[in-house]
Amino acid sequence: MGRYVIRRLIQAIPVLFGATLLIFCIVFALPGDPIAAMFGDKRPDPAIAEVLREQYHLNDPLLLQYWYYISGVLFQGDFGVNFADVPVSQIMAGKFQVTLNLALTALVMEAVIGVGLGLWAALRRGKATDTMILASTLLFISVPTLVTGFVLQLLLGVKLKQWTGADIFPVAGTFAGWRSYLLPGFVLAGTSIAYLTRLTRTSLAETLRADYIRTATAKGLSRRRVIGRHGLRNALIPLVTFLGADLGNLMGGAVITETIFNLQGIGNQLFQSVYLREQPVVVGIVTVLVLIYILANLVVDMLYALLDPRIRYE
């Protein structure tokens, strides 16, 4: 197992370099002048603009700019500063906590609701319950997150408060503590819940048709033990893979949800930084997201051996 972890960490190095270099090139290719964007509608003095370009290495070749950035990250842990001289690490520290809370809330909802509904559908395959669950998941997959967010915000955030007088689901901000993440967390996880429900149903239904399940049933084991100990455990492998990969997707794809619910997270910051062409902030955020994605997949791979003893890494 130790060798496998080291090998995966080594394999992650080119992924990290490739992802950061790619996003650096994309940001560099965006139209517009980042120095002009600093001054808004005012036209900057040419001499001042040139000094700022030299200060932020904007006149240097692209690869040299990238080297300045990546060497600072690797050797000093310094993500640089934005064009207002605010450290990028300071900007990310305040934003990442909001997005991390949102992503973890969505991930828990996704695991509980998705696996629960998928299990229910698999055990009642071909019946009305199964058909209703599949139809509901298809609806969630078909409706854009933007529409789902506004509809649930209106019904559960505004109308429910009018009917009950209780602010159960806050519609904006993080002033209500953990309750502030319930509604946006469900909106963010909606599509993933639908996919996970279908994946759980398919995986468990296929596992329950295996020979060892029939053998366990023939030996007189209870249905609960057959499903829980033998069926569900083996069906969890593709589900764990999906959940591990989806953590990075939830954090990176929270732009729309954070905008709808006015959450000042990393998604909003990423959008603003792309608009202002702040390369250090954009690449810094992407770098951390790539690291989270790599670590999440590494943990998932190590969990395989716990879920299925047949899997061993040399």
Side-chain angles (χ1 to χ4, degrees):
M1 179 69 75
R3 292 180 181 177
Y4 173 76
V5 173
I6 294 174
R7 188 166 64 248
R8 286 301 303 270
L9 289 176
I10 294 175
Q11 292 172 353
I13 294 176
V15 175
L16 179 62
F17 275 99
T20 51
L21 179 59
L22 178 62
I23 195 65
F24 208 94
C25 293
I26 293 174
V27 175
F28 185 84
L30 290 175
D33 183 1
I35 300 301
M38 293 173 57
F39 291 86
D41 296 332
K42 298 180 180 179
R43 186 174 182 178
D45 182 86
I48 296 177
E50 185 62 26
V51 170
L52 290 174
R53 289 192 181 93
E54 288 293 333
Q55 178 182 344
Y56 294 111
H57 307 290
L58 296 179
N59 290 332
D60 296 329
L62 174 63
L63 291 179
L64 185 58
Q65 292 184 46
Y66 176 74
W67 169 248
Y68 287 142
Y69 168 77
I70 201 66
S71 61
V73 173
L74 294 178
F75 302 127
Q76 303 174 11
D78 181 16
F79 289 89
V81 296
N82 66 356
F83 295 133
D85 282 332
V86 179
V88 175
S89 56
Q90 179 179 333
I91 296 174
M92 293 192 297
K95 306 290 185 178
F96 254 107
Q97 187 61 51
V98 174
T99 301
L100 184 61
N101 291 341
L102 177 61
L104 290 178
T105 302
L107 192 68
V108 171
M109 290 183 174
E110 179 182 341
V112 174
I113 300 175
V115 174
L117 289 177
L119 176 61
W120 194 11
L123 296 179
R124 290 162 175 78
R125 191 174 183 184
K127 298 182 180 180
T129 303
D130 180 31
T131 304
M132 182 178 64
I133 291 176
L134 289 179
S136 301
T137 58
L138 183 60
L139 178 64
F140 265 97
I141 293 172
S142 303
V143 178
T145 302
L146 183 66
V147 176
T148 304
F150 281 123
V151 170
L152 292 181
Q153 188 179 50
L154 176 63
L155 295 179
L156 299 181
V158 178
K159 296 298 182 181
L160 184 62
K161 182 179 179 180
Q162 295 176 350
W163 296 334
T164 63
D167 189 14
I168 302 175
F169 300 107
V171 297
T174 58
F175 306 106
W178 62 271
R179 289 191 298 111
S180 302
Y181 297 99
L182 293 179
L183 193 54
F186 181 77
V187 172
L188 179 61
T191 303
S192 297
I193 289 174
Y195 282 120
L196 187 62
T197 299
R198 287 174 167 263
L199 181 61
T200 304
R201 174 187 178 274
T202 302
S203 180
L204 184 57
E206 182 178 349
T207 302
L208 292 178
R209 292 197 299 266
D211 292 338
Y212 64 87
I213 295 294
R214 288 194 290 267
T215 301
T217 304
K219 289 170 62 178
L221 297 180
S222 65
R223 180 172 175 78
R224 176 177 296 181
R225 186 172 183 182
V226 170
I227 294 174
R229 184 177 179 83
H230 299 284
L232 186 58
R233 183 175 180 179
N234 287 282
L236 279 177
I237 294 179
L239 310 185
V240 170
T241 304
F242 182 88
L243 287 171
D246 206 41
L247 177 60
N249 295 333
L250 292 174
M251 294 196 65
V255 178
I256 295 177
T257 306
E258 289 180 359
T259 302
I260 295 174
F261 293 93
N262 194 27
L263 299 177
Q264 300 304 310
I266 209 66
N268 262 330
Q269 184 62 52
L270 183 61
F271 175 79
Q272 295 171 11
S273 299
V274 170
Y275 179 76
L276 296 175
R277 290 196 63 193
E278 292 185 325
Q279 292 100 324
V281 181
V282 175
V283 182
I285 292 173
V286 173
T287 301
V288 176
L289 290 176
V290 169
L291 287 173
I292 292 174
Y293 190 87
I294 291 173
L295 291 176
N297 280 273
L298 179 61
V299 172
V300 166
D301 289 343
M302 290 189 295
L303 285 175
Y304 284 166
L306 298 177
L307 294 173
D308 190 345
R310 296 171 298 179
I311 299 176
R312 291 293 183 266
Y313 298 112
E314 299 179 356

PDB file of all heavy atoms in Angstrom, residues 267-290:
ATOM      1  N   GLY A 267     -16.249  30.036  -5.617  1.00  0.00           N
ATOM      2  CA  GLY A 267     -16.848  30.117  -6.942  1.00  0.00           C
ATOM      3  C   GLY A 267     -17.036  31.555  -7.387  1.00  0.00           C
ATOM      4  O   GLY A 267     -16.687  31.930  -8.515  1.00  0.00           O
ATOM      5  N   ASN A 268     -17.606  32.381  -6.496  1.00  0.00           N
ATOM      6  CA  ASN A 268     -17.771  33.795  -6.793  1.00  0.00           C
ATOM      7  C   ASN A 268     -16.423  34.476  -7.026  1.00  0.00           C
ATOM      8  O   ASN A 268     -16.263  35.283  -7.945  1.00  0.00           O
ATOM      9  CB  ASN A 268     -18.502  34.486  -5.637  1.00  0.00           C
ATOM     10  CG  ASN A 268     -19.984  34.639  -5.915  1.00  0.00           C
ATOM     11  OD1 ASN A 268     -20.400  34.757  -7.057  1.00  0.00           O
ATOM     12  ND2 ASN A 268     -20.796  34.617  -4.881  1.00  0.00           N
ATOM     13  N   GLN A 269     -15.458  34.131  -6.174  1.00  0.00           N
ATOM     14  CA  GLN A 269     -14.135  34.738  -6.308  1.00  0.00           C
ATOM     15  C   GLN A 269     -13.477  34.353  -7.617  1.00  0.00           C
ATOM     16  O   GLN A 269     -12.823  35.179  -8.272  1.00  0.00           O
ATOM     17  CB  GLN A 269     -13.260  34.308  -5.131  1.00  0.00           C
ATOM     18  CG  GLN A 269     -11.887  34.945  -5.118  1.00  0.00           C
ATOM     19  CD  GLN A 269     -11.944  36.456  -5.004  1.00  0.00           C
ATOM     20  OE1 GLN A 269     -12.592  36.990  -4.110  1.00  0.00           O
ATOM     21  NE2 GLN A 269     -11.283  37.155  -5.911  1.00  0.00           N
ATOM     22  N   LEU A 270     -13.642  33.102  -8.017  1.00  0.00           N
ATOM     23  CA  LEU A 270     -13.064  32.638  -9.273  1.00  0.00           C
ATOM     24  C   LEU A 270     -13.667  33.384 -10.459  1.00  0.00           C
ATOM     25  O   LEU A 270     -12.959  33.794 -11.381  1.00  0.00           O
ATOM     26  CB  LEU A 270     -13.280  31.130  -9.421  1.00  0.00           C
ATOM     27  CG  LEU A 270     -12.666  30.459 -10.647  1.00  0.00           C
ATOM     28  CD1 LEU A 270     -11.153  30.623 -10.645  1.00  0.00           C
ATOM     29  CD2 LEU A 270     -13.027  28.980 -10.688  1.00  0.00           C
ATOM     30  N   PHE A 271     -14.987  33.564 -10.440  1.00  0.00           N
ATOM     31  CA  PHE A 271     -15.661  34.284 -11.518  1.00  0.00           C
ATOM     32  C   PHE A 271     -15.159  35.725 -11.603  1.00  0.00           C
ATOM     33  O   PHE A 271     -14.853  36.233 -12.692  1.00  0.00           O
ATOM     34  CB  PHE A 271     -17.166  34.258 -11.289  1.00  0.00           C
ATOM     35  CG  PHE A 271     -17.953  35.076 -12.276  1.00  0.00           C
ATOM     36  CD1 PHE A 271     -18.222  34.593 -13.549  1.00  0.00           C
ATOM     37  CD2 PHE A 271     -18.419  36.339 -11.940  1.00  0.00           C
ATOM     38  CE1 PHE A 271     -18.926  35.352 -14.465  1.00  0.00           C
ATOM     39  CE2 PHE A 271     -19.128  37.104 -12.846  1.00  0.00           C
ATOM     40  CZ  PHE A 271     -19.388  36.604 -14.115  1.00  0.00           C
ATOM     41  N   GLN A 272     -15.055  36.404 -10.458  1.00  0.00           N
ATOM     42  CA  GLN A 272     -14.596  37.786 -10.451  1.00  0.00           C
ATOM     43  C   GLN A 272     -13.144  37.897 -10.906  1.00  0.00           C
ATOM     44  O   GLN A 272     -12.774  38.832 -11.624  1.00  0.00           O
ATOM     45  CB  GLN A 272     -14.754  38.370  -9.040  1.00  0.00           C
ATOM     46  CG  GLN A 272     -16.191  38.489  -8.582  1.00  0.00           C
ATOM     47  CD  GLN A 272     -16.300  38.860  -7.123  1.00  0.00           C
ATOM     48  OE1 GLN A 272     -15.314  39.236  -6.484  1.00  0.00           O
ATOM     49  NE2 GLN A 272     -17.496  38.741  -6.552  1.00  0.00           N
ATOM     50  N   SER A 273     -12.326  36.941 -10.504  1.00  0.00           N
ATOM     51  CA  SER A 273     -10.913  36.985 -10.864  1.00  0.00           C
ATOM     52  C   SER A 273     -10.713  36.742 -12.355  1.00  0.00           C
ATOM     53  O   SER A 273      -9.831  37.346 -12.974  1.00  0.00           O
ATOM     54  CB  SER A 273     -10.128  35.950 -10.053  1.00  0.00           C
ATOM     55  OG  SER A 273     -10.228  36.220  -8.666  1.00  0.00           O
ATOM     56  N   VAL A 274     -11.523  35.843 -12.937  1.00  0.00           N
ATOM     57  CA  VAL A 274     -11.454  35.628 -14.384  1.00  0.00           C
ATOM     58  C   VAL A 274     -11.874  36.896 -15.112  1.00  0.00           C
ATOM     59  O   VAL A 274     -11.250  37.308 -16.102  1.00  0.00           O
ATOM     60  CB  VAL A 274     -12.335  34.435 -14.800  1.00  0.00           C
ATOM     61  CG1 VAL A 274     -12.464  34.353 -16.314  1.00  0.00           C
ATOM     62  CG2 VAL A 274     -11.758  33.133 -14.260  1.00  0.00           C
ATOM     63  N   TYR A 275     -12.916  37.545 -14.625  1.00  0.00           N
ATOM     64  CA  TYR A 275     -13.411  38.777 -15.253  1.00  0.00           C
ATOM     65  C   TYR A 275     -12.353  39.884 -15.206  1.00  0.00           C
ATOM     66  O   TYR A 275     -12.181  40.647 -16.171  1.00  0.00           O
ATOM     67  CB  TYR A 275     -14.683  39.228 -14.553  1.00  0.00           C
ATOM     68  CG  TYR A 275     -15.272  40.511 -15.097  1.00  0.00           C
ATOM     69  CD1 TYR A 275     -15.973  40.519 -16.304  1.00  0.00           C
ATOM     70  CD2 TYR A 275     -15.120  41.712 -14.409  1.00  0.00           C
ATOM     71  CE1 TYR A 275     -16.497  41.697 -16.806  1.00  0.00           C
ATOM     72  CE2 TYR A 275     -15.644  42.885 -14.906  1.00  0.00           C
ATOM     73  CZ  TYR A 275     -16.339  42.877 -16.105  1.00  0.00           C
ATOM     74  OH  TYR A 275     -16.858  44.054 -16.603  1.00  0.00           O
ATOM     75  N   LEU A 276     -11.620  39.966 -14.080  1.00  0.00           N
ATOM     76  CA  LEU A 276     -10.609  41.006 -13.906  1.00  0.00           C
ATOM     77  C   LEU A 276      -9.237  40.581 -14.406  1.00  0.00           C
ATOM     78  O   LEU A 276      -8.286  41.355 -14.308  1.00  0.00           O
ATOM     79  CB  LEU A 276     -10.508  41.390 -12.419  1.00  0.00           C
ATOM     80  CG  LEU A 276     -11.750  42.034 -11.800  1.00  0.00           C
ATOM     81  CD1 LEU A 276     -11.550  42.246 -10.314  1.00  0.00           C
ATOM     82  CD2 LEU A 276     -12.089  43.343 -12.488  1.00  0.00           C
ATOM     83  N   ARG A 277      -9.147  39.328 -14.897  1.00  0.00           N
ATOM     84  CA  ARG A 277      -7.889  38.780 -15.418  1.00  0.00           C
ATOM     85  C   ARG A 277      -6.793  38.805 -14.357  1.00  0.00           C
ATOM     86  O   ARG A 277      -5.642  39.155 -14.627  1.00  0.00           O
ATOM     87  CB  ARG A 277      -7.431  39.544 -16.655  1.00  0.00           C
ATOM     88  CG  ARG A 277      -8.285  39.309 -17.886  1.00  0.00           C
ATOM     89  CD  ARG A 277      -7.574  39.768 -19.131  1.00  0.00           C
ATOM     90  NE  ARG A 277      -6.351  38.998 -19.364  1.00  0.00           N
ATOM     91  CZ  ARG A 277      -5.407  39.357 -20.233  1.00  0.00           C
ATOM     92  NH1 ARG A 277      -5.533  40.486 -20.917  1.00  0.00           N
ATOM     93  NH2 ARG A 277      -4.348  38.620 -20.397  1.00  0.00           N
ATOM     94  N   GLU A 278      -7.130  38.429 -13.149  1.00  0.00           N
ATOM     95  CA  GLU A 278      -6.133  38.341 -12.077  1.00  0.00           C
ATOM     96  C   GLU A 278      -5.539  36.938 -12.106  1.00  0.00           C
ATOM     97  O   GLU A 278      -6.014  36.028 -11.420  1.00  0.00           O
ATOM     98  CB  GLU A 278      -6.781  38.649 -10.727  1.00  0.00           C
ATOM     99  CG  GLU A 278      -7.222  40.095 -10.595  1.00  0.00           C
ATOM    100  CD  GLU A 278      -7.759  40.416  -9.211  1.00  0.00           C
ATOM    101  OE1 GLU A 278      -8.389  39.517  -8.614  1.00  0.00           O
ATOM    102  OE2 GLU A 278      -7.548  41.538  -8.739  1.00  0.00           O
ATOM    103  N   GLN A 279      -4.506  36.755 -12.906  1.00  0.00           N
ATOM    104  CA  GLN A 279      -3.920  35.431 -13.098  1.00  0.00           C
ATOM    105  C   GLN A 279      -3.504  34.744 -11.805  1.00  0.00           C
ATOM    106  O   GLN A 279      -3.795  33.566 -11.621  1.00  0.00           O
ATOM    107  CB  GLN A 279      -2.714  35.512 -14.048  1.00  0.00           C
ATOM    108  CG  GLN A 279      -3.066  35.859 -15.482  1.00  0.00           C
ATOM    109  CD  GLN A 279      -2.837  37.309 -15.790  1.00  0.00           C
ATOM    110  OE1 GLN A 279      -3.057  38.148 -14.927  1.00  0.00           O
ATOM    111  NE2 GLN A 279      -2.408  37.617 -17.009  1.00  0.00           N
ATOM    112  N   PRO A 280      -2.824  35.428 -10.874  1.00  0.00           N
ATOM    113  CA  PRO A 280      -2.399  34.731  -9.659  1.00  0.00           C
ATOM    114  C   PRO A 280      -3.563  34.165  -8.853  1.00  0.00           C
ATOM    115  O   PRO A 280      -3.462  33.064  -8.305  1.00  0.00           O
ATOM    116  CB  PRO A 280      -1.664  35.823  -8.867  1.00  0.00           C
ATOM    117  CG  PRO A 280      -1.226  36.806  -9.894  1.00  0.00           C
ATOM    118  CD  PRO A 280      -2.305  36.817 -10.925  1.00  0.00           C
ATOM    119  N   VAL A 281      -4.680  34.892  -8.791  1.00  0.00           N
ATOM    120  CA  VAL A 281      -5.829  34.418  -8.013  1.00  0.00           C
ATOM    121  C   VAL A 281      -6.477  33.221  -8.708  1.00  0.00           C
ATOM    122  O   VAL A 281      -6.782  32.206  -8.065  1.00  0.00           O
ATOM    123  CB  VAL A 281      -6.861  35.546  -7.817  1.00  0.00           C
ATOM    124  CG1 VAL A 281      -8.049  35.049  -6.995  1.00  0.00           C
ATOM    125  CG2 VAL A 281      -6.213  36.746  -7.135  1.00  0.00           C
ATOM    126  N   VAL A 282      -6.672  33.329 -10.020  1.00  0.00           N
ATOM    127  CA  VAL A 282      -7.310  32.238 -10.768  1.00  0.00           C
ATOM    128  C   VAL A 282      -6.475  30.965 -10.678  1.00  0.00           C
ATOM    129  O   VAL A 282      -6.983  29.886 -10.342  1.00  0.00           O
ATOM    130  CB  VAL A 282      -7.517  32.636 -12.248  1.00  0.00           C
ATOM    131  CG1 VAL A 282      -8.068  31.457 -13.043  1.00  0.00           C
ATOM    132  CG2 VAL A 282      -8.463  33.824 -12.350  1.00  0.00           C
ATOM    133  N   VAL A 283      -5.189  31.082 -10.953  1.00  0.00           N
ATOM    134  CA  VAL A 283      -4.325  29.906 -10.936  1.00  0.00           C
ATOM    135  C   VAL A 283      -4.163  29.371  -9.523  1.00  0.00           C
ATOM    136  O   VAL A 283      -4.080  28.159  -9.316  1.00  0.00           O
ATOM    137  CB  VAL A 283      -2.954  30.229 -11.562  1.00  0.00           C
ATOM    138  CG1 VAL A 283      -2.077  28.994 -11.588  1.00  0.00           C
ATOM    139  CG2 VAL A 283      -3.132  30.773 -12.970  1.00  0.00           C
ATOM    140  N   GLY A 284      -4.139  30.248  -8.524  1.00  0.00           N
ATOM    141  CA  GLY A 284      -4.049  29.798  -7.141  1.00  0.00           C
ATOM    142  C   GLY A 284      -5.255  28.973  -6.731  1.00  0.00           C
ATOM    143  O   GLY A 284      -5.134  27.909  -6.102  1.00  0.00           O
ATOM    144  N   ILE A 285      -6.448  29.441  -7.096  1.00  0.00           N
ATOM    145  CA  ILE A 285      -7.674  28.702  -6.777  1.00  0.00           C
ATOM    146  C   ILE A 285      -7.683  27.359  -7.493  1.00  0.00           C
ATOM    147  O   ILE A 285      -7.992  26.318  -6.888  1.00  0.00           O
ATOM    148  CB  ILE A 285      -8.907  29.545  -7.165  1.00  0.00           C
ATOM    149  CG1 ILE A 285      -9.021  30.771  -6.269  1.00  0.00           C
ATOM    150  CG2 ILE A 285     -10.178  28.701  -7.069  1.00  0.00           C
ATOM    151  CD1 ILE A 285     -10.109  31.736  -6.682  1.00  0.00           C
ATOM    152  N   VAL A 286      -7.334  27.364  -8.781  1.00  0.00           N
ATOM    153  CA  VAL A 286      -7.322  26.117  -9.548  1.00  0.00           C
ATOM    154  C   VAL A 286      -6.294  25.142  -8.978  1.00  0.00           C
ATOM    155  O   VAL A 286      -6.537  23.932  -8.905  1.00  0.00           O
ATOM    156  CB  VAL A 286      -7.038  26.402 -11.032  1.00  0.00           C
ATOM    157  CG1 VAL A 286      -6.849  25.101 -11.800  1.00  0.00           C
ATOM    158  CG2 VAL A 286      -8.178  27.206 -11.644  1.00  0.00           C
ATOM    159  N   THR A 287      -5.148  25.653  -8.549  1.00  0.00           N
ATOM    160  CA  THR A 287      -4.113  24.791  -7.972  1.00  0.00           C
ATOM    161  C   THR A 287      -4.630  24.058  -6.737  1.00  0.00           C
ATOM    162  O   THR A 287      -4.435  22.846  -6.588  1.00  0.00           O
ATOM    163  CB  THR A 287      -2.873  25.621  -7.598  1.00  0.00           C
ATOM    164  OG1 THR A 287      -2.369  26.279  -8.760  1.00  0.00           O
ATOM    165  CG2 THR A 287      -1.790  24.732  -7.012  1.00  0.00           C
ATOM    166  N   VAL A 288      -5.290  24.778  -5.852  1.00  0.00           N
ATOM    167  CA  VAL A 288      -5.825  24.154  -4.641  1.00  0.00           C
ATOM    168  C   VAL A 288      -6.930  23.158  -4.994  1.00  0.00           C
ATOM    169  O   VAL A 288      -7.010  22.065  -4.408  1.00  0.00           O
ATOM    170  CB  VAL A 288      -6.354  25.232  -3.666  1.00  0.00           C
ATOM    171  CG1 VAL A 288      -6.989  24.588  -2.447  1.00  0.00           C
ATOM    172  CG2 VAL A 288      -5.217  26.150  -3.239  1.00  0.00           C
ATOM    173  N   LEU A 289      -7.787  23.494  -5.961  1.00  0.00           N
ATOM    174  CA  LEU A 289      -8.843  22.574  -6.379  1.00  0.00           C
ATOM    175  C   LEU A 289      -8.263  21.298  -6.979  1.00  0.00           C
ATOM    176  O   LEU A 289      -8.770  20.195  -6.727  1.00  0.00           O
ATOM    177  CB  LEU A 289      -9.768  23.260  -7.393  1.00  0.00           C
ATOM    178  CG  LEU A 289     -10.671  24.373  -6.853  1.00  0.00           C
ATOM    179  CD1 LEU A 289     -11.452  25.022  -7.994  1.00  0.00           C
ATOM    180  CD2 LEU A 289     -11.627  23.838  -5.796  1.00  0.00           C
ATOM    181  N   VAL A 290      -7.201  21.432  -7.759  1.00  0.00           N
ATOM    182  CA  VAL A 290      -6.551  20.253  -8.332  1.00  0.00           C
ATOM    183  C   VAL A 290      -5.971  19.372  -7.224  1.00  0.00           C
ATOM    184  O   VAL A 290      -6.097  18.141  -7.253  1.00  0.00           O
ATOM    185  CB  VAL A 290      -5.448  20.672  -9.329  1.00  0.00           C
ATOM    186  CG1 VAL A 290      -4.600  19.472  -9.728  1.00  0.00           C
ATOM    187  CG2 VAL A 290      -6.067  21.294 -10.564  1.00  0.00           C
TER     188      VAL A 290
END
